[in-house]
Amino acid sequence: MTAEYLAADLAGKPAALTELAQRFPRWDPYAALPALLEDEPASVRFLGLGAARYACEVAAARLRRGGVAAHTDFSTSTEEPPAGPETLVVAVSLGGGQRELHAVLDRYVGRSPVIVLAPDQDAVVGRYADLLVPLRAGEEGSGLGCRAYQHALALLLLLGHRLGAPSSGGSANFPGLVRRVANASRVLLESAPEWVPEAAKVLDSPDGVHLVAPAERLASAQQAVQVLRRGPIRVAHSAETGEWSHTDRHLAAVTDYRALLFAGSTYDQRFAEHLGQLRGAFVAVGPTPGRERVPGVALSVRYPGDGDPDVSLLTEPLVAELLAAHWWERSGR
């Protein structure tokens, strides 16, 4: 794994997304869903590790808002909820964690319908699937799976829509949403030389960096933490924006606190006020409700479509991923 490989993986995001969008409507990854399920599932169990699990959490939360009993578990969990034809199991691998998925899916083969999202058709974990959905993100030299995460999350949003999750932003028009994300990603990549060095300077701290996001998009912060820890090996932590004032705020009182805020929460302004009082600094990604910029921000990073929650969910991790590539390159590792 090298910074150069990560930079190349990120540069390939727009093309990979465009190729995914162009496969529709000729390719429908869930065309077999009606044959797989006799009726609407009574429950949906999502399984994954790391970034795959974070993406699953988003899909499960949306299904719950649609009245579907859905939850996410670690694929290492020893819990065995009831299995049966009324329980749909959705397992996600971004390339790693397949051994753990093998163990947990053994419990469901022949008992519950199983959907597996995996990097390609040849993934070993696919042998457990009644329906195998390839991520079609292409090979990633860095091994960090940034494109795989983005594609898995997009395909999980589509699955949720098919299972009854309410539409949010552009999720009802899946190819259109993916094209918008490709365009937003392209703009961030092209403008990176203008904002990445400044953002890196603001966020550089001996105490690490904190990634803060609203509950509905907490996966963005969690994915960012994974890439920052695994690539440049930086200390990184995630927090939910509204909860921040009750938890992480205390760390800001005793450390050189720097944060990357994925804006959009009604609690953005409170976060900014409290962090300002504690002499911390932050960079914001996207607009805040009712304003184009979060008050007190050191730098605001914007991109087309950042007012759409689905475009933001699928695009904004790229900001942290580009920072990870920048810091990794300068670390000399």
Side-chain angles (χ1 to χ4, degrees):
M1 298 194 301
T2 67
E4 290 76 14
Y5 280 131
L6 176 56
D9 291 346
L10 301 180
K13 277 193 172 192
L17 287 164
T18 300
E19 183 180 346
L20 179 65
Q22 289 173 343
R23 290 182 177 274
F24 290 81
R26 289 176 289 111
W27 177 65
D28 181 353
Y30 303 114
L33 203 56
L36 187 62
L37 302 171
E38 294 182 3
D39 201 351
E40 292 183 3
S43 65
V44 182
R45 187 185 189 199
F46 292 91
L47 298 165
L49 286 178
R53 185 174 60 83
Y54 307 148
C56 288
E57 289 280 9
V58 175
R62 292 199 175 190
L63 280 171
R64 289 194 297 271
R65 291 203 293 273
V68 179
H71 65 282
T72 300
D73 284 329
F74 292 89
S75 50
T76 51
S77 173
T78 58
E79 292 186 6
E80 296 192 31
E86 71 286 349
T87 298
L88 174 63
V89 178
V90 181
V92 180
S93 169
L94 306 184
Q98 294 201 32
R99 176 185 295 182
E100 293 83 357
L101 284 176
H102 294 169
V104 70
L105 290 178
D106 261 337
R107 308 170 196 167
Y108 290 101
V109 173
R111 302 171 66 195
S112 292
V114 175
I115 297 176
V116 173
L117 279 69
D120 53 55
Q121 295 279 7
D122 298 324
V124 177
V125 73
R127 72 177 65 167
Y128 295 92
D130 296 300
L131 174 58
L132 175 61
V133 179
L135 299 179
R136 303 189 183 278
E139 186 175 348
E140 297 184 72
S142 71
L144 297 185
C146 296
R147 293 205 308 255
Y149 168 80
Q150 190 176 42
H151 284 225
L153 183 52
L155 289 165
L156 285 170
L157 293 182
L158 177 61
L159 175 61
H161 182 64
R162 295 285 176 84
L163 293 174
S167 297
S168 174
S171 61
N173 177 6
F174 182 76
L177 170 63
V178 173
R179 287 189 176 91
R180 292 177 67 199
V181 174
N183 180 57
S185 300
R186 185 177 296 107
V187 170
L188 279 176
L189 286 160
E190 290 173 352
S191 63
E194 302 169 14
W195 60 264
V196 167
E198 184 179 353
K201 184 176 180 181
V202 172
L203 297 174
D204 194 24
S205 165
D207 296 310
V209 61
H210 298 258
L211 295 305
V212 184
E216 298 79 12
R217 299 183 353 249
L218 186 58
S220 296
Q222 294 168 322
Q223 162 65 1
V225 166
Q226 288 289 306
V227 176
L228 287 163
R229 289 178 179 176
R230 294 176 63 199
I233 313 181
R234 287 237 163 184
V235 175
H237 304 281
S238 62
E240 195 278 328
T241 314
E243 188 178 62
W244 183 91
S245 293
H246 303 277
T247 54
D248 281 44
R249 178 185 180 185
H250 304 292
L251 290 176
V254 294
T255 63
D256 180 15
Y257 198 98
R258 308 300 175 95
L260 181 64
L261 173 70
F262 296 107
S265 170
T266 55
Y267 296 99
D268 285 349
Q269 188 164 344
R270 185 176 73 179
F271 161 84
E273 289 174 355
H274 288 175
L275 186 56
Q277 291 165 5
L278 296 168
R279 299 183 181 179
F282 71 100
V283 172
V285 183
T288 192
R291 297 191 181 195
E292 291 297 304
R293 291 168 58 92
V294 183
V297 67
L299 174 67
S300 185
V301 180
R302 301 294 303 274
Y303 53 87
D306 59 11
D308 183 312
D310 282 347
V311 173
S312 295
L313 184 68
L314 292 167
T315 304
E316 63 192 5
L318 178 56
V319 172
E321 292 162 354
L322 286 167
L323 283 164
H326 174 86
W327 279 322
W328 195 358
E329 192 215 352
R330 277 152 181 73
S331 72
R333 285 195 293 267

